[in-house]
């Protein structure tokens, strides 16, 4: 979204036009911004064979997934339904990687049937996989990123703390034992890094630790560094310079491949980096009130439609598209859910009145995809702006959608 002559626009369409045509609340995604981020992500890499797999749980709209396919990405999926959507929009099975966490082995069997790349993240499923497929189906193993944290004690946090993910390093001997017991073909190593990595140097140190592990596996075709790359959301916090990261990793990975004796592929699975800043949630201020000394801006949305501020304390830049240059005042922007539902507390915004269009920026990733019908409200419409055209890519829910699976019994 850009501000031109005091008008907020997505490409050539104004926020006002979108709101009038599609109603609010509405999610809008800008294809150009997705493309810019993808180009930037690829920019630093010159020598390595880079494969970008879009982590579609961030934004699972099939038109967006198809757009990214057109831009040459693969797909990172975490459920069978995501795989199905990927296949429906035209991704080749071989370009889809399935990286579920804590799933029944039957899901992995189904994914193998569909022909996608399998990523295994626990010893139990690894053993089942070996028993069932032996070396017939190559697989990737997901390692617990805490291994990397240990080598940087001052930043214990830096790679990921959610230790339920992946196989921990102290189990690597077991992995190797299973590999030889079942004659498995481990062709990839996966580490899903985290948004707390702020500098290319720290990332590179972690990558080197991964290269050391990779040397212990002889049949690798790729190393997958996952996602978790943060995007600048305008809160003043530092984000990693992806172009610089690409440049440094390009050199290090090339050196590693020489040592390994083969040219491996380098995979990344960005989600939010590609789509986060491409999306906005357009809402209408429906209530203005003062309570307990605070000025409230109540909008026609809530945490059922954008949960990140309430769930993670995430920052979203907010603009008043109806009064971009008004005198700034301090507001608490709230939604309509019947419990605490803050989008922003004590935020300086241009003077706001009922009817103004209030836009939450950087809402492309984990916005709609985490939305629910809580409070029995309809999820918003989704609009995708491509080549200057605003397309409706998902209708608003209706009452039938809400009650579709309910069975009203005689009581
Ligand atoms: C969620 C996830 C991603 C994407 O994470 P972002 O923070 O959106 O980049 C990538 N890979 C895996 C395995 C994931 O679970």
């Amino acid at each position: 979204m850009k501000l031109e002559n005091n008008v907020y626009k997505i490409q050539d369409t104004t926020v006002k036009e979108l709101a009038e045509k599609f109603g609010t609340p509405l999610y809008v995604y800008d294809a150009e911004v997705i493309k810019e981020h993808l180009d930037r992500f690829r920019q630093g890499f010159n020598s390595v064979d880079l494969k970008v797999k879009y982590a579609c749980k961030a934004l699972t709209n099939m038109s967006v997934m198809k757009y990214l396919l057109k831009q040459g990405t693969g797909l990172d999926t975490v459920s069978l339904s995501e795989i199905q959507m990927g296949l429906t929009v035209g991704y080749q099975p071989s370009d889809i990687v399935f990286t579920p966490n804590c799933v029944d082995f039957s899901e992995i069997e189904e994914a193998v049937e569909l022909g996608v790349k399998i990523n295994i993240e626990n010893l139990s499923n690894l053993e089942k996989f070996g028993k069932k497929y032996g070396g017939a189906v190559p697989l990737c193993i997901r390692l617990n990123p805490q291994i990397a944290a240990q080598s940087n004690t001052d930043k214990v946090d830096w790679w990921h703390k959610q230790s339920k993910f992946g196989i921990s390093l102290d189990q690597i001997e077991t992995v190797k034992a299973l590999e030889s017991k079942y004659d498995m073909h481990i062709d990839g190593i996966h580490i899903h890094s985290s948004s707390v990595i702020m500098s290319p140097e720290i990332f590179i140190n972690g990558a080197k630790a991964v290269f050391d592990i990779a040397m212990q596996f002889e049949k690798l075709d790729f190393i997958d560094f996952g996602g978790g790359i943060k995007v600048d959301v305008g809160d003043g916090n530092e984000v990693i310079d992806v172009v610089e990261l690409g440049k440094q990793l390009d050199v290090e990975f090339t050196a590693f491949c020489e040592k390994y004796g083969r040219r491996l592929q380098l995979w990344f699975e960005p989600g939010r980096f590609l789509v986060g800043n491409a999306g906005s949630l357009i809402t209408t201020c429906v209530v203005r009130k003062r309570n307990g000394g605070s000025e409230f801006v109540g909008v026609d949305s809530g945490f059922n439609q954008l949960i990140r501020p309430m769930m993670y304390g995430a920052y979203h830049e907010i603009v008043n598209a109806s009064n971009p240059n008004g005198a700034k005042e301090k507001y608490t922007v709230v939604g309509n859910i019947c419990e605490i539902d803050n989008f922003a507390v004590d935020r300086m915004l241009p003077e706001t009145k009922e009817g103004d269009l209030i836009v939450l920026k950087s809402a492309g990733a984990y916005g709609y995809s985490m939305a629910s019908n809580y409070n029995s409200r309809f999820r918003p419409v989704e609009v995708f702006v491509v080549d200057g055209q605003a397309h409706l890519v998902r209708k608003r829910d209706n009452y039938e959608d809400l009650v579709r699976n309910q069975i009203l019994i005689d009581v």
Side-chain angles (χ1 to χ4, degrees), residues 356-405:
D356 286 358
L357 292 171
I358 303 299
V359 186
L360 293 112
K361 294 174 67 176
S362 302
Y366 309 103
Y368 193 98
S369 68
M370 292 179 88
S372 75
N373 293 114
Y374 184 45
N375 275 212
S376 298
R377 289 189 178 276
F378 307 146
R379 287 171 304 169
V381 289
E382 289 181 290
V383 173
F384 191 24
V385 184
V386 190
D387 295 334
Q389 291 291 318
H391 303 270
L392 181 67
V393 290
R394 177 152 16 202
K395 293 188 279 189
R396 200 178 300 284
D397 294 329
N398 59 31
Y399 181 74
E400 275 64 47
D401 296 325
L402 287 192
V403 297
R404 188 181 311 283
N405 291 324

Side-chain angles (χ1 to χ4, degrees), residues 29 34 54-61 64-65 275 364-366 368-369 382:
Y29 314 116
I34 296 177
Y54 168 52
C56 69
K57 74 172 188 285
L59 170 53
T60 326
N61 188 288
V64 173
M65 290 162 71
V275 297
Y366 309 103
Y368 193 98
S369 68
E382 289 181 290

